[in-house]
């Protein structure tokens, strides 16, 4: 048994060093292999998932699915304190061997010696992320306790102490790291009746990445609140915060929102990774025909152009892509938004602040006195904002904004419903781009969600989709449409006229992407269910 273990350690370590030498030529690991591994992760040179894959490749060990881990009952002679102090946990316990979950292979020989001496059995390693192992240790340790008991009315000092514990800091950092690796736009931290669920929104769909004991929530919530500059002792009122967080080489602009719920607090973190957004109209998924028409439209120096769609449909990204294309030293561009999501050099960007009376309408009223060429209004929400925006468009400014409507024609009737005069809308509005986002078929697995060996595809995390692109319809105002608006035509009639004049509808554009193998019919149905 001893020779088998020694051979396993020796051969696996040699293969691991060869993998490191291949990926990082000249890397000095003599100072400490574990420390070097952690520094590579901290610097962003390597993700923890990639490191784990290297361990498994080198030692020939299978991937461990945390959700399927069911820790066996331990013999009386194996106290849990041993596994806590050595950061390992048994996955299987047999008469002559124990399968141990480990965060890295560097303690394997020492652990084998201790286990053999204590229980006369050998160690079979399986590797998992350190944060995953600590979650499992905590969950296993608290199985005998009531998981529904959550600390109540902790004072601020206690919460700060809990939030500063090394294990909690690593756990929250692991949440952020997983979100970055998945390309998530949001993180949801939600306490339930018996457990704490952490979910990420990836390509518009929520997926659970972590399930923790409920009594970890106060510490995790306090850590997140401290990061966001919120009041950690306040859990009865909603709070909002914003901060920048650097994970490895990735810097995130993070918006944090908390609201009280029956089981505690719901915490949602919006992640804005500006490095991951190209702001290039050519990469958004527009067909050549729609892109050519849209480029001609935004080249007109005055008038109003609207980009419409439901929340999360990518309208803000499209608007900022337009701004990036139009931005040069010859134009004065001012934006007003709530909040300012993308900080862009060369623009004057204004933040809505309702507490001091800086609303969209009040801010826009001041902006038009700043001699702007182009004005970007984050959203037209009320009649006053719509009135000022339309008048700005009629007096020589290019006004870009968003509305929440189902289709392009609906934007016209939405403005009329706000109380705008028909002739003002027909004169000021030059075009409406309506859009949705659909998930793209994963290029690595072809949508099957399976890798070549049948395991879950790493690139798409088994979903079969990776990344998103837009589907679009572009309504361009012409004489017949303006006459129809002045005649108070319905949105259905406006859409009929636009289609007759060559407008491709959202569904038609979506079907063309299904036929091209970019997305699936199922995904198109999900994205356009309200049309």
């Amino acid at each position: 048994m001893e020779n088998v273990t020694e051979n396993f350690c020796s051969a696996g370590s040699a293969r691991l060093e060869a993998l490191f030498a291949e990926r990082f030529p000249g890397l000095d690991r003599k100072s400490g292999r574990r420390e070097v591994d952690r520094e590579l992760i901290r610097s962003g040179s390597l993700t923890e998932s990639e490191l784990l894959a290297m361990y498994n490749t080198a030692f020939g060990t299978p991937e461990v699915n945390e959700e399927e881990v069911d820790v066996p009952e331990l013999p009386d002679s194996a106290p849990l304190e041993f596994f806590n102090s050595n950061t390992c946990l048994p996955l299987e316990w047999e008469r002559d061997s124990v399968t141990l979950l480990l965060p890295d292979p560097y303690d394997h020989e020492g652990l084998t010696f201790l286990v053999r001496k204590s229980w006369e059995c050998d160690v079979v390693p399986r590797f998992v992320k350190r944060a995953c192992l600590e979650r499992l240790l905590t969950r296993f340790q608290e199985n005998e306790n009531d998981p529904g008991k959550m600390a109540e009315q902790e004072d601020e000092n206690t919460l700060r102490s809990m939030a500063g514990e090394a294990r909690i800091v690593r756990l929250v950092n692991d949440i952020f790291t997983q979100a970055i690796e998945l390309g998530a736009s949001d993180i949801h931290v939600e306490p339930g009746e018996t457990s704490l669920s952490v979910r990420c929104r990836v390509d518009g769909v929520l997926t659970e990445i972590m399930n923790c004991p409920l009594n970890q929530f106060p510490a995790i919530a306090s850590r997140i609140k401290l990061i966001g500059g919120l009041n950690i002792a306040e859990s009865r009122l909603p709070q909002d915060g914003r901060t920048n967080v650097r994970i490895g080489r990735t810097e995130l602009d993070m918006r944090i929102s908390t609201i009280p719920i029956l089981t505690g607090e719901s915490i949602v973190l919006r992640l804005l990774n500006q490095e991951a957004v190209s702001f290039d109209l050519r990469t958004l998924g527009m067909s050549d025909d729609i892109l050519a028409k849209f480029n001609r439209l935004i080249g007109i120096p005055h008038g109003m152009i609207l980009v419409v769609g439901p929340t999360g449909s990518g309208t803000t990204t499209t608007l900022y892509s337009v701004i990036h294309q139009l931005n040069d030293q010859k134009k004065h561009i001012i934006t007003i938004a709530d909040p300012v999501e993308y900080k862009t050099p060369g623009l004057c960007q204004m933040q809505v602040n309702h507490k001091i009376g800086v609303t969209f309408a009040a801010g826009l009223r001041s902006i038009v006195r700043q001699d702007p060429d182009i004005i970007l209004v984050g959203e037209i929400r009320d009649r006053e904002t719509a009135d000022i925006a339309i008048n700005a468009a009629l007096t020589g400014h290019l006004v870009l904004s968003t509305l929440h409507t189902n289709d392009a024609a609906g934007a016209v009737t939405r403005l009329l419903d706000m109380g705008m005069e028909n002739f003002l809308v027909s004169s000021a509005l030059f075009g409406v781009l309506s859009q949705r986002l659909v998930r793209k078929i994963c290029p690595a697995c072809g949508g099957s969600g399976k890798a070549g060996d049948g395991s879950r595809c790493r690139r798409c995390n088994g979903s079969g989709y990776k990344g998103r692109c837009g589907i679009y319809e572009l309504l361009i105002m012409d004489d017949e449409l303006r006459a129809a608006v002045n005649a108070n035509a319905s949105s259905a009639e406006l859409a009929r006229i636009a289609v007759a004049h060559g407008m491709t509808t959202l569904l038609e554009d979506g079907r063309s992407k299904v036929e091209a193998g970019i997305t699936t019919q199922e995904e198109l149905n999900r994205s356009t269910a309200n049309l």
Side-chain angles (χ1 to χ4, degrees):
M1 184 181 299
E2 185 172 351
N3 289 336
V4 172
T5 299
E6 290 176 354
N7 290 338
F8 173 86
C9 293
S10 176
S13 296
R15 285 192 293 267
L16 184 60
E17 294 307 312
L19 288 174
F20 271 103
E22 180 182 351
R23 179 155 185 174
F24 303 102
L27 179 68
D28 182 11
R29 290 171 57 79
K30 295 178 182 178
S31 59
R33 293 174 294 176
R34 177 180 289 146
E35 289 70 24
V36 171
D37 292 358
R38 291 179 180 177
E39 180 55 35
L40 287 171
I41 292 174
R42 280 194 295 269
S43 67
S45 301
L46 197 65
T47 67
E48 196 170 359
S49 294
E50 290 173 330
L51 179 63
L52 194 64
M54 290 175 72
Y55 291 160
N56 286 328
T57 299
F59 288 87
T61 50
E63 181 181 353
V64 176
N65 187 341
E66 180 182 353
E67 298 175 358
E68 298 175 357
V69 171
D70 187 13
V71 178
E73 185 176 344
L74 299 181
D76 295 337
S77 59
L80 186 61
E81 288 76 11
F82 172 86
F83 302 105
N84 269 323
S85 60
N86 289 283
T87 318
C88 61
L89 189 64
L91 182 63
E92 295 176 1
W93 195 290
E94 299 178 357
R95 185 179 61 83
D96 58 354
S97 70
V98 56
T99 301
L100 280 185
L101 296 177
L102 304 171
D104 57 54
Y106 305 126
D107 289 334
H108 181 261
E109 293 182 63
L111 280 172
T112 297
F113 174 79
L114 290 173
V115 171
R116 185 185 295 116
K117 183 178 179 180
S118 302
W119 300 291
E120 297 183 348
C121 58
D122 208 349
V123 170
V124 179
R126 293 289 184 271
F127 302 113
V128 293
K129 293 181 181 179
R130 184 172 295 273
C132 165
L133 183 54
E134 290 178 344
R135 287 194 298 272
L136 291 169
L137 277 167
T138 303
R139 190 175 75 193
F140 184 56
Q141 189 171 15
E142 293 168 350
N143 274 348
E144 299 176 359
N145 303 325
D146 179 7
K149 292 181 179 178
M150 200 163 39
E152 296 183 4
Q153 302 298 322
E154 295 93 344
D155 59 50
E156 186 170 344
N157 290 334
T158 301
L159 290 171
R160 286 185 181 276
S161 176
M162 294 165 60
E165 292 178 6
R167 178 174 293 193
I168 296 302
V169 172
R170 286 197 298 267
L171 185 60
V172 173
N173 285 345
D174 182 58
I175 293 172
F176 295 160
T177 300
Q178 288 194 59
I180 292 171
E181 291 180 2
L182 292 170
S185 60
D186 304 85
I187 301 172
H188 292 240
V189 182
E190 301 162 337
E193 293 291 340
T194 59
S195 64
L196 170 64
S197 173
V198 181
R199 298 187 292 170
C200 283
R201 188 175 296 280
V202 181
D203 294 334
V205 178
L206 282 171
T207 181
E208 186 173 78
I209 64 167
M210 195 178 296
N211 196 283
C212 306
L214 188 60
N215 58 11
Q216 284 191 353
F217 177 72
I220 293 173
S222 297
R223 178 66 186 167
I224 293 172
K225 288 179 180 179
L226 280 176
I227 291 172
L230 305 181
N231 183 352
I232 64 174
E234 179 58 73
S235 60
R236 299 166 298 174
L237 297 174
Q239 296 190 71
D240 292 288
R242 186 168 188 168
T243 188
N244 290 319
V245 175
R246 177 168 287 278
I247 305 295
R249 293 181 177 177
T250 302
E251 184 169 345
L252 293 176
D253 184 7
M254 186 180 296
R255 299 207 313 265
I256 303 172
S257 170
T258 74
I259 61 170
I261 58 176
L262 291 177
T263 50
E265 286 180 283
S266 170
I267 302 176
V268 176
L269 303 93
R270 181 76 188 276
L271 311 179
L272 297 172
N273 181 4
Q274 298 204 28
E275 298 174 358
V277 183
S278 66
F279 295 117
D280 187 340
L281 286 173
R282 295 169 299 179
T283 66
L284 300 183
M286 292 186 196
S287 67
D288 292 342
D289 179 57
I290 292 178
L291 180 60
K293 291 177 180 177
F294 192 59
N295 277 328
R296 287 196 295 271
L297 186 64
I298 63 177
I300 301 172
H302 59 87
M304 176 184 282
I305 299 172
L306 297 176
V307 180
V308 304
T311 300
S313 61
T315 55
T316 300
T317 300
T318 299
L319 281 180
Y320 275 87
S321 297
V322 172
I323 288 296
H324 273 69
Q325 184 164 310
L326 299 178
N327 189 13
D328 62 43
Q329 291 296 319
K330 297 179 181 179
K331 299 184 182 71
H332 185 203
I333 303 174
I334 306 180
T335 74
I336 179 169
D338 182 21
V340 176
E341 293 191 3
Y342 301 112
K343 298 175 184 177
T344 307
L347 307 184
C348 293
Q349 296 182 272
M350 188 175 184
Q351 169 75 52
V352 168
N353 190 335
H354 293 280
K355 294 180 180 178
I356 59 174
V358 182
T359 62
F360 274 112
L364 188 53
R365 192 178 295 109
S366 298
I367 286 172
V368 295
R369 295 195 289 267
Q370 288 280 310
D371 186 32
D373 295 292
I374 301 172
I375 303 171
L376 189 156
V377 184
E379 183 183 351
I380 295 178
R381 300 177 178 174
D382 52 54
R383 176 176 179 172
E384 187 177 8
T385 305
D387 184 57
I388 300 170
I390 285 176
N391 277 284
L394 290 171
T395 53
H397 306 90
L398 177 60
V399 178
L400 308 168
S401 191
T402 68
L403 280 176
H404 291 304
T405 63
N406 284 336
D407 57 14
V412 177
T413 54
R414 179 77 179 97
L415 289 172
L416 297 177
D417 290 342
M418 287 182 181
M420 296 297 97
E421 296 288 348
N422 296 55
F423 74 94
L424 291 176
V425 173
S426 65
S427 300
L429 187 63
F430 278 36
V432 183
L433 181 74
S434 178
Q435 67 179 76
R436 297 287 193 281
L437 290 177
V438 293
R439 291 182 293 172
K440 296 190 293 185
I441 295 172
C442 175
C445 66
S448 68
K450 300 291 185 181
D453 59 2
S455 62
R456 184 171 58 183
C457 175
R458 289 182 179 275
R459 185 163 183 181
C460 67
N461 201 33
S463 69
Y465 298 97
K466 184 63 178 178
R468 290 189 290 178
C469 71
I471 59 172
Y472 302 91
E473 66 179 23
L474 178 60
L475 182 151
I476 298 177
M477 296 294 290
D478 57 23
D479 290 343
E480 186 175 350
L481 278 169
R482 288 191 172 92
V485 172
N486 290 333
N488 212 30
S490 66
S491 60
E493 177 62 15
L494 295 176
R496 186 195 65 76
I497 296 171
V499 169
H501 291 187
M503 182 182 79
T504 301
T505 67
L506 281 168
L507 287 174
E508 289 171 343
D509 191 40
R511 291 189 191 108
S512 70
K513 289 180 169 61
V514 172
E515 293 171 1
I518 297 172
T519 188
T520 64
Q521 185 64 47
E522 180 184 18
E523 176 63 11
L524 177 61
N525 293 343
R526 183 191 67 82
S527 179
T528 59
N530 61 340
L531 291 179

